[in-house]
């Protein structure tokens, strides 16, 4: 059905305007952006912006924004788990995966906030451009864009018939089918429909079962109806569906596992880590999967009241995700541990916006309301065998083995080993945010513009935690047998209680902490907390036109991220995060064929929240705990474009950033003055060339390289897995990636055939050591980046 939908959309289809727009993108003509909620030339906007065109997405064979982030210096997107993606701009991100907190980078699709990480990484579907706005955007875009914003703009229904069918085939049986049709219905109405199906086999193989991992299987569809209700009134109603049903990220173990019943060395020594690049994967997660089903409807109404333009933006969104993944990197029952993050989310957004121009003033003002209901379950799965290993490693007390010895000595044919074990944290939250905002650009004279903006926001949040007793029905059936219980209690005494205890979500350290609903923290009781936060986010900008083709600007902007709650730390609460950003820049066109943009920035980030995996004193299961820090950074962004010859385009982008802690107190001490981990340099550069073959059509060649510098370590980096030194890999090493593409078009541009290679030089890197089970089972594991992949694109347009 999915493939039929994509093909059916396309068969009515197929179009040259898309290719014409791609051709235009290779020139240095004006690029129109909406970074200031107004349509403006990129060179006239006093904000540091990276724009990714539809042509670049095609050249990179990108399926989602995680595939292009390496080529946008200053932007990092982890997309190994698409339902738990993390965005980072200028070294600022949110590490917490829970629904009680919000991201520091706002993601917007056609002006609508994408909110949770579970909905922040969607398949590219008929995208016109992507704007990456660096630095806080709190005034114009609102809450949770303290580090910056990613604004994705899709193509709107037009009055021209368009249609396209594209097929991408590649290595590991890559199959991507996309179809588009834009249908003018009459003089006042047009319908645009796009659908795609993307599948790929896994490139990792389980050494024991032969099963593939890292398979892709997703499909998406989008429909938009435009209706010009009256000469000055327009309505666009759109619906988006995005569905994923694929493998969760695999865990690649990096320690030697002896034959059973032997256990890996505890604690693991990085000097003994094995080579993860030999791809000897051993995973045994039950029902390994990652799924998402998202639906969203957006209604946009615009009306011109004389010289004032009115916009109403209404959005209703719902999605559900699951992500059950291996957490031990082995296939041993006595080392078994996996997790399943499950979310359900419903949100509503309404914005009213007015804009106009009066004399020397260009202004925009409005109000918005956001409401969200979120549910999350953090399910953890183990076996009584692996809990026995945890007790052995942490306390030298293999109590389940001891219980079995007692039962065997009493000639009782039962065993406490070999049974399932589950612990859950259940969260629910209701959140709403109300805001009013205004932004005015004053043309003080022919060359000087002054911009003043202000947004007031109020956030209200109510959050719940519920952790019940561990779930082990088969074990309980044995332990609760009167004879067995009598024998075990006689010989084990109080130690028998440890067979009933929680180890993953142990609330004993929080006992007695008050909640807002009249209870204290305890197992099996819902704890609720409510709070509200207010914020004023101003911005001031002065831009001056040095010449007709060169502008300098200075800006101050404040970003704001709402306070919240750690979903796995019961009764936790944290305050707002605030960032103050100062920036000075130059935007210049050096003739018709060269463009140089440079900006320098400095920010102070106060109250930044992060979660860190902390092992309790004396050992035991590590816990995710909230830590607060104050950060500071300064840096430079640089952009260069050249078109020295017709058809030949060169570009380069780079960012230098020195990000350090002003204050961060951990169990390792105060990290003040130490780097936050962000590399000093990230850069990308590329060349594209179009060769005219006259009656034979044209040949396009593109080569793009991305570089991310070496990560900067601090005192806690090794424990968190980002700076471990091993004989085989270094997670903090610099990374390089090169993508290439060659494609041919007919003179009419109706047919296109292309060949692409991603990661041309087959560079693979470890993206960090995951220590979630290192201190309990002795089983650290890693993820690695994808190998070289190649494929072909076939496009037919009409």
């Amino acid at each position: 059905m999915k493939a039929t939908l994509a093909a059916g959309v396309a068969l009515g289809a197929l179009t040259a305007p898309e290719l014409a727009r791609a051709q235009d993108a290779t020139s240095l003509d004006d690029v129109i952006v909406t970074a200031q909620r107004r349509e403006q030339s990129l060179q006239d906007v006093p904000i540091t912006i990276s724009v990714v065109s539809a042509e670049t997405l095609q050249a990179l064979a990108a399926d989602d924004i995680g595939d292009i982030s390496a080529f946008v210096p200053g932007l990092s997107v982890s997309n190994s788990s698409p339902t738990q993606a993390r965005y980072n701009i200028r070294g600022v991100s949110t590490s917490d995966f829970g629904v009680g907190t919000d991201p520091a980078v706002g993601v917007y699709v056609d002006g609508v906030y994408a909110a949770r990480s579970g909905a922040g990484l969607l398949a590219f579907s008929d995208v016109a451009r992507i704007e990456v706005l660096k630095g806080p955007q709190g005034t114009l875009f609102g809450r949770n864009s303290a580090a910056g914003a990613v604004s994705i703009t899709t193509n709107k229904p037009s009055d021209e018939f368009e249609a396209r069918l594209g097929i991408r085939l590649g290595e590991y049986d890559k199959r991507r089918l996309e179809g588009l049709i834009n249908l003018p219905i009459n003089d006042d109405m047009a319908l645009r429909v796009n659908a795609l199906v993307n599948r790929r086999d896994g490139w990792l193989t389980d050494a024991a079962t032969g099963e593939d991992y890292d398979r892709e299987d997703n499909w998406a569809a989008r429909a938009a109806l435009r209706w010009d209700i009256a000469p000055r009134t327009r309505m666009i109603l759109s619906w988006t569906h995005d569905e994923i049903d694929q493998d969760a990220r695999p865990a690649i173990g990096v320690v030697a596992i002896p034959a059973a019943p032997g256990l890996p060395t505890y604690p693991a020594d990085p000097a003994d880590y094995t080579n993860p690049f030999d791809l000897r994967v051993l995973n045994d997660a039950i029902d390994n999967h990652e799924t998402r089903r998202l639906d969203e409807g957006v209604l946009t109404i615009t009306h011109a009241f004389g010289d004032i333009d009115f916009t109403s933006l209404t959005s209703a969104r719902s999605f559900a995700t699951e992500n059950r993944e291996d957490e031990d990197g082995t296939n041993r029952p006595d080392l078994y541990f996996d997790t399943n993050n499950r979310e359900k989310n419903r949100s509503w957004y309404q914005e009213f916006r007015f804009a106009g121009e009066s004399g020397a003033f260009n202004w925009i003002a409005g109000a918005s309301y956001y409401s969200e209901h979120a549910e999350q379950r953090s399910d953890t799965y183990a076996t009584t065998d692996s809990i026995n290993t945890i007790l052995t490693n942490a306390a030298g007390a293999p109590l389940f083995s001891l219980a079995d010895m007692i039962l065997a000595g009493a000639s009782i044919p039962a065993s406490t080993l070999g049974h399932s074990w589950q612990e859950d944290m259940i969260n629910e939250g209701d959140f709403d945010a109300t805001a009013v905002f205004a932004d005015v650009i004053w043309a003080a004279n022919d060359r000087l513009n002054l911009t003043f903006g202000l947004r007031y926001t109020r956030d209200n949040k109510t959050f719940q935690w519920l952790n019940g007793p561990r779930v082990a029905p088969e074990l309980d059936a044995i332990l609760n047998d009167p004879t067995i219980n009598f024998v075990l209690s006689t010989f084990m005494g109080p130690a028998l209680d440890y067979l009933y205890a929680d180890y993953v979500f142990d609330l004993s350290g929080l006992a007695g902490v008050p909640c807002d609903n009249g209870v204290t923290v305890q197992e099996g009781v819902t704890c609720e907390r409510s709070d509200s936060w207010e914020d004023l986010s101003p911005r001031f900008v002065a831009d001056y036109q040095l010449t007709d083709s060169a502008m300098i600007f200075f800006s101050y902007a404040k970003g704001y991220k709402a306070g919240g709650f750690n979903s796995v730390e019961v009764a936790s609460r944290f305050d707002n995060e605030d960032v103050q950003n100062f920036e000075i820049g130059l935007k210049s066109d050096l003739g018709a064929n060269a463009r140089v943009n440079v900006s320098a920035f400095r920010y102070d980030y106060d109250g930044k929240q992060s979660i860190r995996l902390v092992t309790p004193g004396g050992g035991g299961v590590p816990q995710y705990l909230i830590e607060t820090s104050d950060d500071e950074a300064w840096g430079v962004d640089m952009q260069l474009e050249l078109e020295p010859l017709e058809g030949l385009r060169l570009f380069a982008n780079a960012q230098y950033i020195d990000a350090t802690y002003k204050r961060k107190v951990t169990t390792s001490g105060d990290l003040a003055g130490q780097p936050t981990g962000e590399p000093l340099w990230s850069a990308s550069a590329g060349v594209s060339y179009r060769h005219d073959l006259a009656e034979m059509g044209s040949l396009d060649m593109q080569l793009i390289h991305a570089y991310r510098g070496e990560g900067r370590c601090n005192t806690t980096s090794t424990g968190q897995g980002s700076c471990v030194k091993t004989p085989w890999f270094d997670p903090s090493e610099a990374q390089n990636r090169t993508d290439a593409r060659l494609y041919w078009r007919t003179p009419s541009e109706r047919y296109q055939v292309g060949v692409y290679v991603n990661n041309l030089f087959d560079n693979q890197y470890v993206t960090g050591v995951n220590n979630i089970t290192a201190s309990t089972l002795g089983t650290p594991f890693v993820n690695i980046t994808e190998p070289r992949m190649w494929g072909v694109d076939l496009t037919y347009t009409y």
Side-chain angles (χ1 to χ4, degrees), residues 720-788:
Q720 298 305 300
S722 59
C723 285
V724 177
K725 298 295 189 289
T726 80
W728 300 103
F729 61 87
D730 177 2
S732 63
E733 69 177 315
Q735 298 185 11
N736 289 276
R737 172 175 160 171
T738 305
D739 286 10
R741 181 180 177 86
L742 174 68
Y743 53 99
W744 168 79
R745 294 171 175 148
T746 61
S748 66
E749 299 188 336
R750 178 163 292 185
Y751 297 93
Q752 175 181 306
V753 180
V755 180
Y756 68 88
V757 182
N758 291 339
N759 191 11
L760 178 64
F761 299 106
D762 201 24
N763 294 319
Q764 288 187 271
Y765 303 95
V766 167
T767 56
V769 179
N770 193 315
N771 286 324
I772 188 171
T773 56
S775 61
T776 52
L777 299 171
T779 54
F781 61 89
V782 303
N783 304 123
I784 59 178
T785 58
E786 293 181 346
R788 176 174 52 233

Side-chain angles (χ1 to χ4, degrees), residues 304-538:
F305 294 98
D307 294 331
I308 298 177
D309 295 325
F310 167 76
T311 300
S312 170
L313 185 62
T314 308
S315 167
R317 168 181 289 205
S318 68
F319 70 86
T321 71
E322 287 198 21
N323 183 27
R324 185 164 183 177
E325 57 192 20
D326 189 89
E327 303 286 5
D328 60 88
T330 76
N331 61 352
R332 288 268 296 271
D334 56 344
L335 299 172
Y336 186 92
F337 189 67
D338 81 68
T339 61
N340 189 14
N341 181 70
R342 295 192 278 172
E343 294 184 37
K344 290 184 178 179
N345 183 285
R346 300 190 308 273
S347 63
W348 172 272
Y349 180 74
Q350 177 64 59
E351 179 179 314
F352 296 115
R353 189 167 68 237
F354 296 87
E357 193 164 358
S358 177
F361 296 94
N362 183 308
W363 59 271
I364 184 171
S368 66
Y369 175 75
Y370 176 78
S371 175
E372 176 185 1
H373 177 79
E375 300 174 16
Q376 181 177 32
R377 287 182 61 105
S378 300
D379 298 330
T380 64
Y381 301 90
T383 65
T384 53
D385 306 70
S386 56
I387 297 297
N388 192 57
T389 301
I390 291 173
L391 292 170
T392 301
N393 289 339
L399 296 181
F400 289 88
S401 295
L402 175 62
D404 277 13
M405 290 175 59
I406 294 171
L407 294 177
S411 299
I412 297 176
S415 175
T416 61
L417 294 170
H419 306 299
S420 63
W421 182 286
Q422 179 179 343
E423 296 184 35
D424 313 304
M425 180 66 74
I426 303 171
N427 303 115
E428 188 169 343
D430 288 289
F431 319 124
D432 67 74
T434 305
V436 292
F437 58 92
D439 192 77
V440 180
I441 302 174
W442 172 36
N445 57 46
D446 291 343
R447 294 188 177 274
L448 176 65
N449 292 323
L450 300 177
T451 301
F452 305 89
L454 185 66
R455 178 183 291 256
Y456 167 79
T457 306
R458 179 179 175 84
D459 278 281
N460 300 296
K461 293 187 176 184
T462 298
F463 197 72
Q464 296 180 354
W465 298 262
L466 173 61
N467 167 236
R470 60 100 179 104
V471 179
E474 297 170 346
L475 174 64
D476 286 342
I478 294 171
L479 296 180
N480 295 333
D481 179 273
T483 301
I484 293 176
N485 189 270
F486 174 78
V487 171
L488 292 180
S489 60
T490 299
F491 289 94
M492 296 182 67
L496 178 61
D497 293 340
Y498 289 100
L499 305 189
Y500 291 93
D502 281 20
Y503 292 99
V504 180
F505 298 116
D506 180 8
L507 304 186
S508 59
L510 298 171
V513 174
C515 306
D516 292 346
N517 56 332
V519 301
T520 59
V521 175
Q522 55 188 299
E523 191 175 84
V525 175
T526 298
C527 175
E528 181 177 290
R529 295 204 68 175
S530 298
D531 215 329
S532 61
W533 298 268
E534 295 180 307
D535 176 75
L536 282 173
S537 292

Side-chain angles (χ1 to χ4, degrees), residues 219-268:
W219 71 280
R222 185 175 186 275
L225 175 68
R226 192 204 78 216
W227 178 21
D228 295 335
I229 301 172
R232 301 171 69 87
T233 306
R234 169 172 288 183
M235 178 198 80
I236 297 179
L237 177 64
S238 66
W239 165 80
T240 300
H241 176 85
D242 188 278
E243 191 162 328
I244 291 175
D245 186 3
Q246 62 187 43
D247 295 330
R249 68 105 182 95
I252 303 174
V254 289
V255 294
I257 306 296
L263 296 174
T265 301
Y266 177 85

Side-chain angles (χ1 to χ4, degrees), residues 2 198-199 215-219 243-246:
K2 304 169 189 174
N198 178 49
R199 291 177 179 145
R215 290 167 289 202
E216 293 180 350
D217 187 354
N218 62 287
W219 71 280
E243 191 162 328
I244 291 175
D245 186 3
Q246 62 187 43

